[in-house]
């Protein structure tokens, strides 16, 4: 089937190449002598460098094979395959790497001359078609020729050559295809292209010499020269690499005499900008680049031989990487007059190499940063044996042996496996050999003598190119995990025992983003709580909510709202027991949100607090009774103190009133008007004093019973305080220097004027009562933020330290007051009046230095 198919599509290799290249490479007309020379030049590049390659050659006369026998035998010694195509019978194949093809009559290939070379250093196709014109000499037979170093063209030609071999020599096709797989079609090596170009230049010079030396062959030589120059121009113009010629000037400078289009593209300079001009005179070329180029060219001239080097050159601000080869060209006397240069732009390769190096470094860092051990192994198809291609270095942390041990000895790992676990290790190997993915756990002996639990997870991949199975695996130390599993099992058992021993009910529930609720765990003692078994709640996530008392649904939902917001919430509600009674439940729950799924997991404790609430209620009633009893006792104490105070404090005013009344009754007629008025004033002042004491007593009783009146109203601020200070001055009878320091920018205050009056007058009265005459008493009124602050400063006797804890207690008086009269109610009432305003009262005191009382009232 293959032969008949091929016979219907016999083709011209030249036409296929020409069609593929189209206008990319022009057709050059060459003589047979030129084609022979070019073929030899390409073959000599393989021979001189001993480059492993595939070589295909085709020609018209089989007699030429006998002339080239030595060359092809030498090529066959180190090349992978030499294929020879000819129109006549060839000598027998003398080497396994030779394939001889005798072309059939009428095969278009018999009209062609071609050479195809495939290697990892360079690849090329040269193809010419006989134009069948008459000629007097065989060497002058003309061929229309094309050539290419381009990988896509070469691959296409090799595919065609395989088709030819499959028809003529099907027995050798597989061998040829296998040999071809060992090579990739590369871009041409710069050094080899330089040699090829230089050989063309030398061939041109040789033809020119022949032109001058032999007039007999002038026509043939001139034609060959023209053909060579055309071919040279084609190669020079269409070469993918930068090709240039530099003239060595007598002045020691260098000037470009020729650059190809590839050079123009990579440097940005056109031919007319640089040719014929000393490099130090090229416009826009940086001085440092001029110096660099000069040093490179000068080094090649001084060395007198080929030089190759990699370099980085910036053109138009962009760095480019080049692999450059310089070759000296000498005159007849051996003087170097020119330098032939070929520069390959390897920027993409360098960037790829840098990226690969970075990738490899990242890979090493990743491998070093993870605790797992990574390995890559190979199992040949024809034998059951491992070969470890890579083992990450951290295996030494795993079992104490360096990675090199396992790469050198693939069976060493198996020797470390615990005898009881060999079955698992062998089971994994068998499954991997069958192309399955496997994860197993077994024990491996550490270098220090103890066993480590290993989890081996591996994936296998059949690699047809390598004729075997690649295994990619990860080894993890799971010793701690296995121990944790054992401890977890023990912990779970202890947890079950603990849950069974406590009265609280534990539960774990879960709610998805759609609001579906399910119980993951409910401890068995829920049955003691409400009479239903735990499984009832596991089967129905909404059953618990159905037991909640109707009046407690809202408070329970409020608690769950706080829980969903991420707050730990404690709330109480009632649930119906299976026997119909209501049980008081205390729920303490917190939530954990699983991101990004949004699932909520609730961990909660349920406690029966029915008995506790009953006890708390009893305690509350008892506390109320105790408070009432305490109030009753306090009232009784106050009443007792009041009776004592009344019997003591009322006695003197009443005696004074009685004495004044008796005097007026006896001596009224004989008293002068001023005397009668004085007696009446005394009676009036004592009555006022009694009334004030009665008001204080009434206020104390009202404060204890919680009925003290509080009636705030708007008052005009500054006049109100000025009147209070004036009243204090009248009561003092000018015995002290009373000063008002008012610093408030307020027109009105919202206060109870009666209570504030008593606050101010009580504090002013104490300052007057306990301060020596002629001392200053200062009242300072200010505003701080939203607070009214007034202070009363005196320079009196102060408050002893032992009296301060009871300062605001009713009927308490200081231990240093001597015979100064008083009821002990003023400061207690002042404190009550301040608290009714929501304010605070403080003091600062020092015995025999003075006292300051500070009152803070919030501004309403």
């Amino acid at each position: 089937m293959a032969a008949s198919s091929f016979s219907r599509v016999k083709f011209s290799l030249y036409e296929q190449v020409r069609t593929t290249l189209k206008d990319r490479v022009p057709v050059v007309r060459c003589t047979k002598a030129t084609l022979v020379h070019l073929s030899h030049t390409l073959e000599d590049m393989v021979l001189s460098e001993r480059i492993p390659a595939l070589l295909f050659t085709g020609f018209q006369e089989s007699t030429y094979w006998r002339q080239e026998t030595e060359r092809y035998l030498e090529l066959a010694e180190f090349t992978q395959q030499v294929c020879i195509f000819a129109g006549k019978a060839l000598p027998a194949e003398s080497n396994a790497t030779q394939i001889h093809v005798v072309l059939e009559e009428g095969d278009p290939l018999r009209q062609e001359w071609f050479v195809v070379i495939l290697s990892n250093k360079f690849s090329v196709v040269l193809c010419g078609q006989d134009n069948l014109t008459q000629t007097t000499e065989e060497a002058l037979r003309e061929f229309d020729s094309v050539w290419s170093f381009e990988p896509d063209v070469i691959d296409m030609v090799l595919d065609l050559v395989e088709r030819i071999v499959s028809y003529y020599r099907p027995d050798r096709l597989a061998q040829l295809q296998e040999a071809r797989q060992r090579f990739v079609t590369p871009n041409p090596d710069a050094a080899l292209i330089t040699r090829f170009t230089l050989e063309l230049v030398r061939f041109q010079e040789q033809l020119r010499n022949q032109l001058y030396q032999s007039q007999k062959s002038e026509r043939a030589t001139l034609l060959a020269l023209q053909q060579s120059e055309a071919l040279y121009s084609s190669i020079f113009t269409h070469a993918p690499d930068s090709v240039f010629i530099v003239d060595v000037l007598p002045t020691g400078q260098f000037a470009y005499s020729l650059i190809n289009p590839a050079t123009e593209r990579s440097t940005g300079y056109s031919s007319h900008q640089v040719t014929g001009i000393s490099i130090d005179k090229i416009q826009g070329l940086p001085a440092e680049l001029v110096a660099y180029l000069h040093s490179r060219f000068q080094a090649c001239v001084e060395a007198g031989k080929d030089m190759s080097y990699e370099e980085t050159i910036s053109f138009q601000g962009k760095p480019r990487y080049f692999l450059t080869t310089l070759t000296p060209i000498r005159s007849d006397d051996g003087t170097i007059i020119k330098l032939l240069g070929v520069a390959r732009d390897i920027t993409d390769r360098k960037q790829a190499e840098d990226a690969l190096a970075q990738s490899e470094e990242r890979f090493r860092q990743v491998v070093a940063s993870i605790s797992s051990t990574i390995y890559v192994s190979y199992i040949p198809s024809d034998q059951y044996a491992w070969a470890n291609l890579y083992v990450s270095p951290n295996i030494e942390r795993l079992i104490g042996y360096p990675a090199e041990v396992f790469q050198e000895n693939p069976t060493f790992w198996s020797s470390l496996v615990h005898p009881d676990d060999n079955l698992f290790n062998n089971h994994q190997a068998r499954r991997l050999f069958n192309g399955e993915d496997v994860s197993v756990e077994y024990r491996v002996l550490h270098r220090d003598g103890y066993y480590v639990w290993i989890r081996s997870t591996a994936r296998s991949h059949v690699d047809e190119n390598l004729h075997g199975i690649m295994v990619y695996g990860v080894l993890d130390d799971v010793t701690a995990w296995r121990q944790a599993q054992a401890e977890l099992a023990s912990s779970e058992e202890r947890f079950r025992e603990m849950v069974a021993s406590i009265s609280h009910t534990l539960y774990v529930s879960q709610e998805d983003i759609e609001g579906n609720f399910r119980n993951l765990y409910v401890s068995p003692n829920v049955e003691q709580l409400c009479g239903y078994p735990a499984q009832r709640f596991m089967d129905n996530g909404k059953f618990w909510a159905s037991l909640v008392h109707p009046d407690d649904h809202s408070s329970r939902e409020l608690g769950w709202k706080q829980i969903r917001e991420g707050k730990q919430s404690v709330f109480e509600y009632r649930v119906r027991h299976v026997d119909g009674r209501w049980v008081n439940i205390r729920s303490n729950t917190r939530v954990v949100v699983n991101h990004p799924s949004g699932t909520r997991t609730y961990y909660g404790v349920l406690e029966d607090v029915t008995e506790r609430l009953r006890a708390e209620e009893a305690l509350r009633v008892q506390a109320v009774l105790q408070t009432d009893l305490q109030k009753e006792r306090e009232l009784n104490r106050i009443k007792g103190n009041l009776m004592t105070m009344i019997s003591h404090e009322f006695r003197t005013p009443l005696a004074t009133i009685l004495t004044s009344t008796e005097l007026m009754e006896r001596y009224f007629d004989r008293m002068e008007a001023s005397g009668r008025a004085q007696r009446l004033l005394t009676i009036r002042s004592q009555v006022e004093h009694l009334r004030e004491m009665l008001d204080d007593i009434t206020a104390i009783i009202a404060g204890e019973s919680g009925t003290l009146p509080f009636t705030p109203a708007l008052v005009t601020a500054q006049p109100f305080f000025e009147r209070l200070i004036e009243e204090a001055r009248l009561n003092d009878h000018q015995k002290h220097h009373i000063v008002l320091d008012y610093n408030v920018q307020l027109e009105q205050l919202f206060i109870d004027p009666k209570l504030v009056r008593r606050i101010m007058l009580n504090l002013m009265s104490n300052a007057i009562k306990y301060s020596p005459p002629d001392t200053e008493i200062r009242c300072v009124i200010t505003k701080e933020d939203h607070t009214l602050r007034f202070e009363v400063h005196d320079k009196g006797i102060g408050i002893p330290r032992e009296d301060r804890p009871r300062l605001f207690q009713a009927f308490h008086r200081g231990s240093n007051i001597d015979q100064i009269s008083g009821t002990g109610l003023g400061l207690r009432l002042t404190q009550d009046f301040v608290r009714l305003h929501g304010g605070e009262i403080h003091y600062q005191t020092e015995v025999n230095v003075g006292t300051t009382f500070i009152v803070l009232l919030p501004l309403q």
Side-chain angles (χ1 to χ4, degrees), residues 280-330:
D280 60 334
K281 297 294 192 297
I282 297 176
Q283 187 175 3
L285 200 63
E288 59 272 17
L289 182 55
V290 170
Y292 173 78
L293 294 175
H294 187 278
S295 66
R296 285 295 191 187
F297 297 158
Q298 185 64 36
C300 184
V301 171
E302 292 175 356
K305 61 181 181 180
D306 293 2
M307 294 183 63
S308 295
Y309 48 87
E310 290 188 8
E311 59 185 349
T312 305
I313 300 179
S314 293
F315 292 104
Q316 300 175 348
K318 296 180 180 179
R320 305 293 295 177
Y321 298 91
F322 293 91
L323 175 61
T324 302
T325 300
L326 292 177
T327 300
I329 300 176
R330 301 176 184 273

Side-chain angles (χ1 to χ4, degrees), residues 111-178:
Q111 190 183 333
E112 300 180 1
W113 182 292
F114 63 87
V115 173
V116 184
I117 298 175
L118 174 63
S119 75
N120 287 331
K121 281 196 172 184
F122 82 101
S123 296
V124 66
V125 56
L126 170 64
C127 188
Q129 186 181 57
D130 192 344
N131 60 14
L132 302 178
T133 56
Q134 294 295 324
T135 178
T136 57
E137 297 181 29
E138 185 65 22
L140 298 182
R141 183 179 295 278
E142 293 184 341
F143 288 75
D144 290 333
S145 305
V146 292
W147 67 274
S148 177
F149 289 97
E150 299 184 38
D152 57 337
V153 177
I154 294 164
D155 282 337
M156 180 271 294
V157 170
L158 291 173
D159 291 341
L160 295 176
V161 170
E162 281 191 13
R163 291 178 60 189
I164 299 170
V165 173
S166 69
Y167 173 71
Y168 285 104
R169 296 294 304 273
D171 58 313
R172 301 295 296 277
L173 178 63
Q175 181 182 353
L176 176 62
Q177 290 175 332
E178 182 179 355

Side-chain angles (χ1 to χ4, degrees), residues 361-374 392-394 397:
E361 179 61 26
R362 286 194 296 269
F363 173 76
R364 284 191 293 271
Q365 291 176 357
V366 168
V367 169
S369 67
I370 62 177
S371 58
S372 301
T373 297
I374 300 172
S392 59
N394 47 15
R397 296 201 303 265

Side-chain angles (χ1 to χ4, degrees), residues 302-470:
E302 292 175 356
K305 61 181 181 180
D306 293 2
M307 294 183 63
S308 295
Y309 48 87
E310 290 188 8
E311 59 185 349
T312 305
I313 300 179
S314 293
F315 292 104
Q316 300 175 348
K318 296 180 180 179
R320 305 293 295 177
Y321 298 91
F322 293 91
L323 175 61
T324 302
T325 300
L326 292 177
T327 300
I329 300 176
R330 301 176 184 273
S331 62
D332 293 339
D333 60 1
T335 303
I336 298 176
I337 57 174
K338 296 179 184 292
L339 298 176
L340 172 64
V342 177
R344 171 170 295 173
D345 189 335
I346 59 172
T347 303
D348 292 341
R349 191 197 78 189
K350 290 289 289 186
Q351 291 174 345
E353 289 175 352
D354 293 342
L356 178 60
Q358 294 174 5
S359 175
E360 290 176 347
E361 179 61 26
R362 286 194 296 269
F363 173 76
R364 284 191 293 271
Q365 291 176 357
V366 168
V367 169
S369 67
I370 62 177
S371 58
S372 301
T373 297
I374 300 172
Y375 69 89
V376 180
S377 299
Y378 169 68
I379 308 175
S381 299
D382 56 351
Q383 57 181 338
Y384 191 64
W386 289 79
N388 293 318
L389 305 181
Y390 173 78
V391 180
S392 59
N394 47 15
I395 193 172
E396 192 164 1
R397 296 201 303 265
L398 186 68
I399 56 173
Y401 295 96
E404 293 77 8
V405 174
F406 302 97
Q407 290 180 234
E408 294 169 0
N409 183 4
T411 63
F412 185 63
W413 178 265
S414 299
S415 69
L416 301 177
V417 177
H418 193 286
D420 296 342
D421 297 341
N422 263 321
L423 178 65
F424 299 106
N425 184 37
N426 295 334
H427 175 68
Q428 183 189 35
R430 283 193 298 271
R431 292 182 61 185
L432 287 172
F433 188 77
N434 293 330
E436 302 178 39
D437 299 342
V438 190
S439 179
V440 295
E441 294 179 8
Y442 50 86
R443 288 162 292 180
V444 176
L445 184 63
H446 194 277
R447 191 171 192 172
D448 293 338
Y450 59 89
Y451 279 97
V452 179
W453 275 100
I454 299 294
R455 179 186 291 124
S456 175
T457 304
R459 167 169 293 183
S460 59
H461 169 69
V462 177
D463 193 318
E464 296 180 354
N465 293 328
L466 296 177
H467 305 290
I469 298 172
M470 297 297 297

